[in-house]
Amino acid sequence: MEDPTICHNHSEVPDEWPSVDKITAYRDRVRRRITAWVDGYYAANSAVSADAARHVWMAFEHEAMHIETLLYMVLQMDPVDIRSPAISTFGPNSSAQPARSWISYSGSPAAVLGLTADSETALGAAALPTGHVFGWDNESPSMSVAIKPFRIHTQPITNSEYLGFLKAISSGSARADGELDDLIPQSWIALSSSQGPTGNKLLDADYGVRTAVGTPSISKTEAALWPVCVSQAQAEAYASWCGKRLPTEAEWTYATRTYHLARALSANTPNPAYSCAMPVDKYLGELLAAQGASGDAHSCQPYDMFAPSNANIGLSHWHPTPVPTTPASPDCLPEASFIGSAWEWTSTPFHPFDGFKPSPMYPGYSADFFDPPETHGSDSAHYIVKGGSYITHPRIALRQTFRNWYQRGYPYVLATFRLCEDASL
């Protein structure tokens, strides 16, 4: 981003691109072949090689990823040029505040990250094991990391809160206009002239949120309570202003999988009761003990089987949805939203796990984007995002080992953030 001449290797750009008709015809031929292969596999109910299955899975997930990134481009178009795929109405701004609280975790000496049983080279052309879960090369091999006690917000930061941050730092601020402009999210669009009574465009303008179904006003509609979509640099600016930080990849993953299982078990286990001062992982341990179970197995599962069934993923909506506003009872787990509406930025640079091996099928998928440590903190360095947006396919959003990444200064990704801090427990 800082130097557009520096980029990872791409295929050679042709002097002339094929016509649209030729491109769509090629697409249709490929889809027919793949569909016929899949149909034949199910009809025969026979063994298939892991290599063949991985090719099909890789094509499916890669296409799903690029459907999402193509929509990022569409959202930056002039709204009048977007043909809405659906009719949406947006509720009014209720002026309610997010039901946000801190939840704490005591941490772990050996939290597991990554897939424990997917090796492209080991499986090779052998028969695909029943129930096998594929992952990209950066998800393997799994590794254990130590996590110290921490606290994390139950909800991401909203558009209204981020707008409040901008107004606070711009009112009487000595910051240069260009610096303030860099903090305005590209997910927003000015709905009114920035020339108002104060002469400060951040204080005077009415902003809307870019979606494929309209640009609802932050001041007048429910978009006030949608998670704000920003770059990692913008997220860190807000966190620093609050005296907090972004969670690491390990903290976010540990918090999410632990919370979701604890919430699922607590719905069917009246005792032990939860108290607001109790670390969520300690509470989960007590819930599991009450059922004579161990907590070790859940930490290695590739899919989050206990994520909310109504998570805003897979285009269940064509836009983010509001964060909860109803305060939780002190003897119940507070409502936390970890999956859906937007990806979530972490403070972790995109790096390989110990023992990483590039995919033989797609060696540049991850390796082209690993940055040397001296570039960390620059806008061009890549950082991990976790979870999934309202566009993300459920098979990706619910695989808790999935690692997505974007450049720190990239402003178009549908990614939000939540605050985190160290804790003394």
Side-chain angles (χ1 to χ4, degrees):
M1 292 182 60
E2 295 170 343
D3 184 352
T5 65
I6 300 176
C7 190
H8 62 283
N9 293 329
H10 287 285
S11 301
E12 184 177 347
V13 178
D15 294 331
E16 183 178 356
W17 291 99
S19 67
V20 172
D21 288 343
K22 287 184 177 180
I23 292 172
T24 54
Y26 172 77
R27 177 203 63 190
D28 293 343
R29 288 198 305 273
V30 171
R31 285 186 173 173
R32 283 195 297 270
R33 291 179 64 187
I34 292 177
T35 301
W37 182 91
V38 173
D39 289 345
Y41 163 67
Y42 282 114
N45 194 27
S46 58
V48 63
S49 76
D51 269 352
R54 189 181 295 274
H55 273 98
V56 174
W57 163 83
M58 189 178 285
F60 157 70
E61 281 210 353
H62 209 173
E63 181 176 32
M65 292 180 215
H66 282 288
I67 289 173
E68 179 161 350
T69 54
L70 282 170
L71 188 55
Y72 294 171
M73 299 169 64
V74 170
L75 296 182
Q76 293 303 312
M77 293 168 55
D78 187 323
V80 300
D81 295 328
I82 299 176
R83 182 179 296 178
S84 178
I87 297 175
S88 292
T89 57
F90 305 104
N93 183 353
S94 64
S95 299
Q97 297 300 309
R100 182 180 292 107
S101 60
W102 290 96
I103 48 177
S104 62
Y105 294 81
S106 55
S108 170
V112 177
L113 295 180
L115 281 172
T116 59
D118 182 49
S119 171
E120 184 175 339
T121 54
L123 285 172
L128 180 68
T130 301
H132 184 76
V133 175
F134 287 119
W136 296 92
D137 56 7
N138 64 68
E139 297 175 54
S140 296
S142 62
M143 61 181 290
S144 296
V145 295
I147 300 177
K148 296 180 179 179
F150 66 97
R151 299 200 312 155
I152 192 168
H153 265 169
T154 52
Q155 309 296 340
I157 300 302
T158 64
N159 285 305
S160 179
E161 290 171 312
Y162 191 86
L163 181 59
F165 152 66
L166 292 179
K167 289 182 176 181
I169 65 173
S170 66
S171 180
S173 172
R175 289 173 178 254
D177 286 344
E179 186 178 357
L180 289 170
D181 286 344
D182 288 344
L183 291 174
I184 300 175
Q186 290 296 316
S187 60
W188 294 359
I189 183 171
L191 300 178
S192 63
S193 171
S194 59
Q195 298 301 316
T198 72
N200 183 316
K201 63 182 179 182
L202 280 171
L203 298 177
D204 293 332
D206 182 21
Y207 287 96
V209 179
R210 293 178 178 271
T211 79
V213 291
T215 54
S217 165
I218 294 173
S219 65
K220 300 174 183 177
T221 75
E222 65 177 64
L225 286 169
W226 292 356
V228 64
C229 292
V230 294
S231 70
Q232 205 259 11
Q234 292 167 336
E236 285 200 328
Y238 183 101
S240 177
W241 178 70
C242 294
K244 308 300 180 184
R245 61 176 176 82
L246 304 184
T248 65
E249 176 186 13
E251 288 172 333
W252 192 96
T253 303
Y254 184 78
T256 303
R257 63 167 59 137
T258 303
Y259 174 85
H260 284 159
L261 181 55
R263 186 186 59 180
L265 290 178
S266 66
N268 300 300
T269 310
N271 291 302
Y274 173 80
S275 70
C276 59
M278 183 182 296
V280 177
D281 44 358
K282 180 181 178 182
Y283 178 51
L284 174 60
E286 294 185 3
L287 288 168
L288 290 166
Q291 298 191 7
S294 167
D296 295 335
H298 90 279
S299 65
C300 299
Q301 295 301 313
Y303 280 99
D304 190 342
M305 305 304 294
F306 301 99
S309 59
N310 63 346
N312 185 18
I313 55 178
L315 290 174
S316 57
H317 299 273
W318 278 89
H319 52 76
T321 49
V323 301
T325 58
T326 304
S329 169
D331 59 350
C332 296
L333 270 176
E335 185 68 21
S337 303
F338 284 104
I339 301 290
S341 283
W343 295 90
E344 294 201 25
W345 285 108
T346 73
S347 62
T348 301
F350 183 47
H351 61 79
F353 290 157
D354 296 342
F356 166 82
K357 294 180 180 179
S359 163
M361 291 184 189
Y362 193 169
Y365 173 76
S366 302
D368 280 357
F369 300 93
F370 295 144
D371 300 305
E374 60 268 20
T375 67
H376 295 170
S378 69
D379 279 356
S380 61
H382 298 84
Y383 282 75
I384 294 287
V385 294
K386 295 290 290 183
S389 78
Y390 62 88
I391 311 168
T392 310
H393 194 283
R395 296 290 291 181
I396 295 175
L398 298 180
R399 190 167 79 249
Q400 58 187 1
T401 60
F402 186 83
R403 308 175 77 207
N404 203 359
W405 67 93
Y406 287 93
Q407 288 177 305
R408 179 175 180 268
Y410 183 69
Y412 306 118
V413 59
L414 292 175
T416 187
F417 67 100
R418 71 185 65 224
L419 302 181
C420 186
E421 66 179 4
D422 299 341
S424 299
L425 301 176

